[in-house]
Amino acid sequence: MFGVPYQRQPVDFAKLFGRESRVILEIGFGMGETTARLAASCPDADFIGVEVHTPGVGALLKSIGEEKLSNLRIVKHDAVEVLQDMIPDGSLYGVHIFFPDPWHKARHHKRRLIQPPLVALIVKKLANGGYLHCATDWENYADQIKDVLGRTSSLVMAPASRQNPLLARPATKFEARGVRLGHGVWDVIAIKRSDGKAHA
Ligand SMILES: C[S@@+](CC[C@H](N)C(=O)[O-])C[C@H]1O[C@@H](n2cnc3c(N)ncnc32)[C@H](O)[C@@H]1O
């Protein structure tokens, strides 16, 4: 029930969660502790976590059961296909991408997740006024993220705010490891323009 199989049709969120609410999708939740904490601290919102890593999916399913998190569902599949096929256009209140694989070496930068085609797809799936929240512990990737989001005309950059509980990101496992190694942390947030139009 909490694990949702990948399907090629758009999902009806009201049916999936049994209510109308704000839906936030997370790409690559890892072991899922942050996802579980956010879902527990924001019971009014609904969360969909997407991850391909089997142990992480198992760990988060266990947390859902133990903590009775009725507002969290998991899809074990490639997030790009999930966004393309399962998520209705203009339906998401937020998208979280916390500590995507950094691909440190310059020759591997093309493998990074946050690139213009994925950002365009996310923008299509966000509701007007919806947000994209990215975090990384790799400064060069933070610069790339700021550059890609900054050049997306339908997005406006926003300050990282700890006022909004949805944006007050609990520390992730990958982040804690980076901090132990002396890495910095960069949060980058952008909002989809509320008129939904592209601005020059
Ligand atoms: C570096 S880990 C970070 C995990 C977690 N967000 C954290 O901060 O602890 C990146 C995660 O993204 C997942 N991932 C990468 N590409 C993905 C994709 N296309 N679809 C779903 N998950 C993906 C990986 O399996 C991995 O667990």
Side-chain angles (χ1 to χ4, degrees):
M1 174 199 174
F2 293 105
V4 180
Y6 165 73
Q7 62 180 52
R8 288 202 170 77
Q9 289 83 37
V11 169
D12 181 336
F13 290 159
K15 269 196 191 147
L16 185 64
F17 292 101
R19 64 177 182 176
E20 300 275 353
S21 64
R22 299 171 295 177
V23 177
I24 293 128
L25 180 132
E26 180 174 0
I27 297 177
F29 57 73
M31 296 305 283
E33 322 80 348
T34 299
T35 318
R37 284 181 61 194
L38 261 178
S41 64
C42 302
D44 295 342
D46 288 325
F47 295 82
I48 300 173
V50 188
E51 176 57 73
V52 290
H53 180 59
T54 305
V57 170
L60 187 52
L61 280 171
K62 190 161 173 269
S63 303
I64 291 175
E66 286 171 356
E67 298 173 41
K68 301 189 173 32
L69 298 172
S70 59
N71 60 337
L72 175 54
R73 300 288 182 276
I74 297 177
V75 186
K76 182 180 179 296
H77 196 81
D78 171 61
V80 178
E81 288 191 3
V82 170
L83 272 168
Q84 274 167 348
D85 298 336
M86 293 180 71
I87 304 301
D89 291 353
S91 66
L92 293 174
Y93 182 79
V95 173
H96 294 167
I97 310 179
F98 298 153
F99 303 92
D101 297 298
W103 296 109
H104 307 118
K105 294 180 183 161
R107 69 173 187 278
H108 291 152
H109 285 183
K110 56 182 178 299
R111 298 187 191 174
R112 286 176 170 170
L113 193 60
I114 303 175
Q115 312 262 3
L118 178 69
V119 172
L121 178 61
I122 289 170
V123 166
K124 193 173 159 197
K125 302 299 171 177
L126 283 174
N128 292 339
Y131 69 88
L132 168 60
H133 183 173
C134 306
T136 180
D137 67 340
W138 200 249
E139 187 167 19
N140 171 274
Y141 200 0
D143 290 342
Q144 176 177 329
I145 295 169
K146 285 180 208 158
D147 183 54
V148 174
L149 303 194
R151 281 191 291 119
T152 304
S153 59
S154 47
L155 291 176
V156 190
M157 304 305 282
S161 157
R162 301 275 152 177
Q163 304 296 316
N164 181 341
L166 283 170
L167 298 182
R169 178 181 56 73
T172 80
K173 187 168 180 183
F174 193 82
E175 173 179 14
R177 177 181 158 277
V179 168
R180 278 200 301 279
L181 294 171
H183 298 183
V185 173
W186 291 265
D187 282 90
V188 185
I189 297 170
I191 313 280
K192 181 170 169 178
R193 291 179 188 278
S194 55
D195 60 9
K197 290 183 190 146
H199 293 246

